Amino acid sequence: MTGLGAFISAFIVSYVGTVLLLRIRLRNAFVDVPNERSSHETPKPRLGGIAIVGAFTVVYLVLLTVRPGMTAYLPLVLGGLLVFGAGVMDDRRSLPVYVRFLAQGLAVTLLIVAGHYVDHIFLPLVGTLELGPLAIPFTALFVLASINFYNFVDGVDGLAAGSAFIVATFLALIAYMLGHIPLALVCVVLAGSAVGFLQFNFPPSRLFMGDSGSTFLGFVFAGVAIMGNGLSPEIPFFIPVLMLSSLFLDAGLTLVKRALKGEKIFQPHHTHYYQRLLSLGLNHKQVTVLEYALTILLGVSALIFFKAGGFFPIFLTLCWVVIFTATILKIRSLERGDRLFWERRTLMVVAGDLLVTALAYFGAYFLRMNFRFTEAEGMAILKAFPLVLVVRSACFYYYGLYRGVWKYTSTPDVVRIVKAVTSGSVIIVVLLVLFYRFVAFPRSLFIIEYFLLIVALGGTRFASRLFHEFGKEALGGRVKRVAVIGAGDRGERIGRAIRGTHDKSVSLVCYIDDDEDKQGLTLQGIPIRGPADNLDAICKELEVDSLVLGIASLPQKQLDAFVDLARAAGLPLETRDGRYRKQQESGVVLFDQISRSMKRGLPLHGQKRSSEFYTGKRVLVTNGGHIIGSALVKRLVGMGARVTVQIDSQWDVERFGGWQGAGCRFYIGRLDDQDEAARIVSGCEPQVIFHCISTYAGPVVNERDFLWRSVVYSTDALVKVVSALPVESLTLISFWENLSAADEAAKLLSVSEARVLNCRQLHAASPRVVRVATVLTEKRLLEILDGVPPVAGRTGHAEERFSVFEPEAVALCVDAGASARGRALIIPRDEVPIGARDLQRFFRDRKTSGYAATEAPDERRMLFPSELLKGSSIPGASVVVSPLYPAGSEMLTAVERCLHAPGDADRAQLLGNLHTLLCEKPAREIRASMD
């Protein structure tokens, strides 16, 4: 009853103390701010050790007054308080390493002066080792190692506190079994103090115990091991060490590895095995529960030692070593993105099966003999052991157990295992009868061994398969299944971020890569599939919900191909999401997301036959392609064209963002002079021409004169030059932006449109005109997302809005230039415009369907009153039926006069006459003539 009361008292004090600590408002003190080495993501208080140590000390002092024998453990408590004080100061303000070691050294000295040190060590099968003069140095080293090792493992929610509860509970049971009630009470109080705090530290934790709590626990466990070793009957020193070995081996191996690499061993790092498990995608709860299971296994091994003698605990310890080794191998395998090292290596598979055979054989013996070693039967099974290994190996080979890959274990493998074990058991029994007359062999041993071996062989293979599947799926209900395109460095980082997220609604199911050497392997335990051409089939097989582009840089053509593949699979392609990584998305992907949500009919990449047309062609793009110049040139170069870009000055190159790919060159000159236009054209000998005109003048001195020269005169000069050359295709791209048919600038553009469409000498070039409305470029889209206001004068509405996306405009122009011969005036099919606020809202909420813009389309804005629309063979386009083409005599005369207008007064009158012709015939009459 005293023990139960002590446990409940320690639990209540620790629980209440933790609650009170959580109510303290902290500023900078006792707050663990996460960094790149941390396993947590938000600042949390780290003063929970105060509750643990406070509860332990209070209950111990009460027991000290009511229970005899508790005084012997006063040095342990005082030394623990000294270590705790140094830990509190370190949590408050980081102390130098030598100061912490000084305090820990004083605590060790206090323990040794009180007469508590390790003078001998008992080991099963070895006996007692007397330390002699090494006793005190060994004790000091052990205590210091225990303090710091336990501090090292306090890096995952609930790990240190939960392990302390488990170990202290097992030590209390062992002490009680041996009659050491005061030591049992100390362990009970420690267990109650730890589990009271654990309520708030178990994942997801609300606070940490800090160095003050972890160093205190490490010191107390070391003291219990030392003091228990000196009792009679003693608690062997190796028992507490065995129970803590899952924690101490992690810290010790990491320390040795870092020391061998020349790293600073006391500098914070992120290479403990539990941290590496977190990096591989397991969450805090999974890692913590795994460590709990290992600690419980070791505690059971320690309990059995006192019931079964020295041999069976060694057998259990060997099992534990196998499990720990396999876990380490799994971690290393996942980190390398490779198979487990023994797969497809026959020698390693044979060694594994031999080990399993030995464990099943001796395990059956211990079960049959009630966990004790007897002389006659023990010598008999040792004598038969080589025979068992030979027969078992031969049967395993005959039934093909060495030819399988463990990660793909299935029902047929189990059938082969049963056949191999059954045959082997029959042969072994027959041989033992012939050679040894079955004397001294327990009759039921081989029945037990038969079932154990089947379970063990099947278990190892299914465990290997489980290791490959472990940590792949998010927990919970329906999850968003994500595939990452690209199994390189960036893809790996994105995958790690997806798997490391606390959002259980997201699961990484595979990587997709074209590299044949990677396909079939795993990265972070996730399979790599491919090639990308099979994306649709892969996504259907694995039920993928979303694709994430994980490639650092791609040629435009390949990026377009990925977007097309994603669209064909009916999946969104993402590259920017706060849950995954903070990096600017590709404009192509951004536009694809918006287009998919709005269900727009305009294609982003155009027709595939266009690529064949432009391959090897010499292309001239005038006026820098205006606002779509960079995207247009990239698309053409990606199709294999050799592009020359005409610009007015060197400063215009800035609009291309410094991009100048192979197959692209710039030519500085003006087109409004026929001689200069001839030099430009003769310099590149184009087969295809994109002539780009716009009424946006910018801050020029004489805007009207500039517009006539850049829009009308440059077009006239270019037409005269091209009409004498074998040009295959001429496309006039007319940027209307925010114009309406009533604007004077629209009439100016119509002069150029009519000039190109009606020139008879351009018959071979099949001239076409593409009217483009307000274009949302990639640059402007990114500016909107960053909150950059529009350039003054570029919008004529209360809110900036766009009718066509840059990839849509480029696709339309490229397809128009490559379309079948025939003159035509083309505009994008009427689409719902999208405003800047709509875009910001869209990317803030990340909607994927059901998007609705705030404004309705203005169908007549780009058409004169006499113009009508009809269908087109170009996707996303409509053909304009207009008086501009074919033009009547009056229209041709009006256009010709505009081309030779001498002054501003005449220009205004001539444009007025042109507008009258464009508006005089009602649209219904044109429709009637079409019918």
Side-chain angles (χ1 to χ4, degrees):
M1 292 300 294
T2 304
L4 180 61
F7 178 83
I8 294 175
S9 300
F11 171 81
I12 293 175
V13 175
S14 177
Y15 186 92
V16 174
T18 306
V19 172
L20 294 176
L21 290 173
L22 284 171
R23 295 183 178 181
I24 299 176
R25 293 184 176 274
L26 301 175
R27 294 186 181 273
N28 296 324
F30 299 103
V31 175
D32 194 337
V33 179
N35 53 44
E36 65 275 6
R37 305 182 190 92
S38 302
S39 299
H40 59 291
E41 297 180 352
T42 58
K44 294 183 181 180
R46 55 182 177 190
L47 69 175
I50 298 175
I52 297 175
V53 179
F56 178 85
T57 305
V58 168
V59 178
Y60 172 78
L61 291 177
V62 174
L63 291 174
L64 190 63
T65 60
V66 299
R67 186 75 188 187
M70 298 301 295
T71 308
Y73 298 94
L74 189 58
L76 176 66
V77 177
L78 294 177
L81 291 176
L82 184 60
V83 172
F84 165 74
V88 171
M89 295 176 63
D90 190 42
D91 289 332
R92 175 65 178 84
R93 181 178 298 173
S94 296
L95 296 177
V97 175
Y98 72 89
V99 176
R100 284 179 280 167
F101 269 106
L102 178 61
Q104 295 168 10
L106 292 175
V108 174
T109 302
L110 180 62
L111 200 62
I112 294 175
V113 169
H116 303 296
Y117 52 87
V118 182
D119 57 358
H120 70 281
I121 298 176
F122 169 77
L123 296 174
L125 297 183
V126 177
T128 301
L129 300 177
E130 297 293 339
L131 298 181
L134 297 177
I136 292 178
F138 176 83
T139 300
L141 182 63
F142 169 71
V143 175
L144 291 176
S146 178
I147 293 172
N148 290 282
F149 281 9
Y150 211 92
N151 184 33
F152 290 162
V153 301
D154 182 28
V156 175
D157 295 346
L159 178 57
S163 298
F165 166 71
I166 295 170
V167 174
T169 301
F170 276 107
L171 287 175
L173 289 173
I174 292 173
Y176 179 79
M177 289 167 52
L178 297 178
H180 305 308
I181 304 303
L183 180 59
L185 288 175
V186 170
C187 294
V188 165
V189 173
L190 188 63
S193 302
V195 78
F197 166 77
L198 183 60
Q199 310 297 313
F200 307 93
N201 187 239
F202 192 77
S205 68
R206 297 173 60 185
L207 82 168
F208 301 139
M209 68 170 62
D211 289 354
S212 60
S214 59
T215 54
F216 174 82
L217 292 174
F219 178 82
V220 171
F221 282 129
V224 168
I226 294 170
M227 299 177 76
N229 194 60
L231 297 175
S232 182
E234 70 179 34
I235 300 177
F237 179 77
F238 79 89
I239 291 295
V241 175
L242 175 66
M243 286 190 285
L244 290 166
S245 60
S246 65
L247 304 176
F248 286 0
L249 271 178
D250 182 356
L253 290 175
T254 303
L255 189 69
V256 171
K257 184 172 66 174
R258 298 188 73 217
L260 292 176
K261 290 183 177 180
E263 300 176 0
K264 296 180 179 180
I265 58 176
F266 293 105
Q267 183 178 357
H269 57 95
H270 205 272
T271 56
H272 286 291
Y273 286 106
Y274 64 82
Q275 292 170 324
R276 291 160 67 180
L277 285 172
L278 291 174
S279 299
L280 290 171
L282 275 71
N283 57 42
H284 284 241
K285 187 177 295 184
Q286 290 172 322
V287 175
T288 300
V289 171
L290 177 62
E291 289 284 357
Y292 287 174
L294 294 177
T295 305
I296 292 173
L297 171 64
L298 295 171
V300 171
S301 300
L303 281 177
I304 292 177
F305 170 78
F306 293 96
K307 292 291 185 180
F311 282 95
F312 188 66
I314 295 174
F315 171 76
L316 281 184
T317 302
L318 180 60
C319 294
W320 140 242
V321 170
V322 171
I323 294 174
F324 185 76
T325 303
T327 303
I328 293 176
L329 291 174
K330 172 60 179 177
I331 295 172
R332 291 177 60 82
S333 174
L334 290 177
E335 289 176 332
R336 293 193 305 265
D338 202 353
R339 302 178 177 88
L340 292 174
F341 78 96
W342 61 73
E343 290 183 6
R344 298 182 183 177
R345 299 188 183 185
T346 304
L347 181 61
M348 300 307 301
V349 175
V350 171
D353 284 344
L354 289 177
L355 177 61
V356 169
T357 300
L359 292 176
Y361 183 68
F362 289 108
Y365 168 77
F366 281 116
L367 286 172
R368 173 64 181 81
M369 305 308 296
N370 197 22
F371 306 110
R372 295 187 180 277
F373 183 83
T374 57
E375 186 69 24
E377 290 84 357
M379 296 306 298
I381 66 162
L382 288 175
K383 181 170 55 177
F385 180 58
L387 177 65
V388 171
L389 287 182
V390 172
V391 173
R392 291 294 188 199
S393 299
C395 291
F396 293 164
Y397 175 79
Y398 179 79
Y399 285 99
L401 267 62
Y402 298 148
R403 294 193 293 270
V405 179
W406 289 14
K407 66 177 285 187
Y408 299 116
T409 300
S410 58
T411 303
D413 296 298
V414 177
V415 173
R416 285 194 292 271
I417 290 173
V418 173
K419 290 180 179 179
V421 174
T422 302
S423 301
S425 295
V426 172
I427 295 172
I428 289 171
V429 171
V430 171
L431 292 178
L432 290 180
V433 171
L434 292 176
F435 293 159
Y436 305 110
R437 303 292 181 184
F438 220 72
V439 176
F441 289 97
R443 299 292 187 268
S444 59
L445 182 146
F446 291 98
I447 298 177
I448 299 173
E449 188 256 0
Y450 172 79
F451 290 105
L452 281 182
L453 186 57
I454 290 176
V455 172
L457 288 173
T460 54
R461 282 156 171 78
F462 277 105
S464 174
R465 179 169 180 172
L466 177 64
F467 268 21
H468 282 84
E469 300 295 330
F470 192 54
K472 290 183 181 180
E473 289 289 343
L475 303 179
R478 182 71 176 101
V479 298
K480 179 181 179 182
R481 299 169 64 83
V482 177
V484 175
I485 298 177
D489 292 339
R490 176 164 296 179
E492 185 272 338
R493 288 196 298 271
I494 295 175
R496 186 171 64 247
I498 294 174
R499 302 188 69 211
T501 180
H502 293 291
D503 186 357
K504 297 295 184 244
S505 64
V506 181
S507 174
L508 176 62
V509 295
C510 75
Y511 291 89
I512 299 173
D513 202 289
D514 286 330
D515 190 345
E516 295 182 358
D517 293 335
K518 294 181 179 179
Q519 294 168 16
L521 302 179
T522 60
L523 179 60
Q524 305 169 340
I526 304 299
I528 301 175
R529 305 291 295 273
D533 291 341
N534 296 335
L535 187 142
D536 190 18
I538 295 171
C539 292
K540 288 180 180 178
E541 176 189 350
L542 300 178
E543 300 180 353
V544 174
D545 300 312
S546 181
L547 297 168
V548 178
L549 187 61
I551 304 177
S553 59
L554 278 175
Q556 187 69 32
K557 187 175 182 179
Q558 192 172 354
L559 181 57
D560 293 344
F562 279 129
V563 174
D564 288 337
L565 288 171
R567 281 209 162 196
L571 298 174
L573 179 63
E574 308 170 2
T575 58
R576 177 182 178 180
D577 195 319
R579 290 172 300 184
Y580 306 152
R581 61 189 177 96
K582 295 183 181 298
Q583 179 169 344
Q584 191 61 65
E585 279 179 301
S586 164
V588 174
V589 177
L590 289 174
F591 284 123
D592 182 68
Q593 293 177 12
I594 308 171
S595 180
R596 183 187 298 275
S597 174
M598 295 182 65
K599 300 179 180 178
R600 295 172 65 89
L602 275 69
L604 292 176
H605 311 308
Q607 298 173 307
K608 293 184 177 179
R609 66 183 183 185
S610 297
S611 298
E612 300 176 359
F613 175 79
Y614 291 105
T615 301
K617 290 287 196 305
R618 297 183 300 275
V619 180
L620 171 64
V621 178
T622 69
N623 292 316
H626 198 51
I627 58 175
I628 68 170
S630 180
L632 176 61
V633 171
K634 286 183 181 179
R635 179 67 55 81
L636 293 170
V637 171
M639 292 178 173
R642 292 173 290 173
V643 183
T644 299
V645 183
Q646 176 266 324
I647 53 179
D648 291 338
S649 68
Q650 183 66 39
W651 304 110
D652 290 339
V653 180
E654 295 179 1
R655 290 194 285 110
F656 290 79
W659 180 85
Q660 186 173 356
C664 173
R665 62 174 182 167
F666 293 93
Y667 191 100
I668 301 176
R670 305 185 66 86
L671 285 177
D672 52 355
D673 180 80
Q674 186 171 341
D675 293 336
E676 183 69 13
R679 283 194 293 271
I680 294 173
V681 173
S682 62
C684 60
E685 298 180 351
Q687 297 166 283
V688 178
I689 297 177
F690 288 96
H691 179 45
C692 306
I693 57 175
S694 170
T695 59
Y696 177 69
V700 296
V701 176
N702 190 339
E703 179 178 347
R704 175 170 293 183
D705 183 66
F706 173 81
L707 290 178
W708 276 83
R709 286 190 290 106
S710 62
V711 175
V712 178
Y713 299 153
S714 65
T715 303
D716 182 54
L718 184 64
V719 168
K720 291 177 180 178
V721 172
V722 173
S723 61
L725 298 175
V727 175
E728 298 179 21
S729 174
L730 171 62
T731 302
L732 173 67
I733 307 176
S734 179
F735 293 93
W736 275 53
E737 300 196 52
N738 287 296
L739 298 176
S740 66
D743 293 332
E744 181 177 320
K747 307 165 194 172
L748 203 64
L749 292 172
S750 68
V751 174
S752 294
E753 294 173 356
R755 177 73 174 104
V756 170
L757 290 171
N758 293 281
C759 181
R760 296 182 179 179
Q761 290 77 15
L762 293 178
H763 175 73
S766 299
R768 284 163 292 274
V769 173
V770 179
R771 282 183 190 169
V772 180
T774 47
V775 180
L776 175 60
T777 64
E778 178 180 348
K779 177 182 178 183
R780 184 61 196 137
L781 174 59
L782 300 180
E783 289 176 346
I784 290 173
L785 297 183
D786 292 335
V788 179
V791 178
R794 293 305 292 268
T795 177
H797 299 81
E799 181 196 0
E800 188 180 20
R801 64 176 188 172
F802 307 92
S803 298
V804 62
F805 301 157
E806 185 177 46
E808 296 172 344
V810 170
L812 180 59
C813 295
V814 169
D815 286 345
S819 63
R821 293 186 175 275
R823 306 174 187 236
L825 174 57
I826 302 167
I827 67 170
R829 187 178 303 151
D830 293 333
E831 293 289 348
V832 176
I834 185 169
R837 286 194 294 269
D838 296 327
L839 292 167
Q840 292 171 340
R841 187 181 75 251
F842 173 83
F843 285 102
R844 181 179 64 250
D845 300 337
R846 285 282 168 174
K847 297 180 180 179
T848 56
S849 62
Y851 175 81
T854 56
E855 298 186 48
D858 184 0
E859 297 180 355
R860 300 296 308 176
R861 194 167 60 83
M862 288 180 59
L863 297 178
F864 292 104
S866 58
E867 294 179 332
L868 291 175
L869 300 179
K870 68 176 184 179
S872 170
S873 61
I874 301 175
S878 297
V879 173
V880 180
V881 179
S882 171
L884 293 175
Y885 177 78
S889 58
E890 292 182 313
M891 178 64 69
L892 290 175
T893 301
V895 170
E896 187 68 24
R897 289 177 178 176
C898 290
L899 294 174
H900 300 90
D904 291 342
D906 294 331
R907 291 172 180 173
Q909 181 180 356
L910 292 172
L911 288 177
N913 296 336
L914 179 66
H915 184 72
T916 301
L917 294 173
L918 287 170
C919 301
E920 66 180 3
K921 183 178 290 188
R924 61 176 177 270
E925 295 183 15
I926 298 180
R927 185 181 300 276
S929 64
M930 289 173 57
D931 296 337

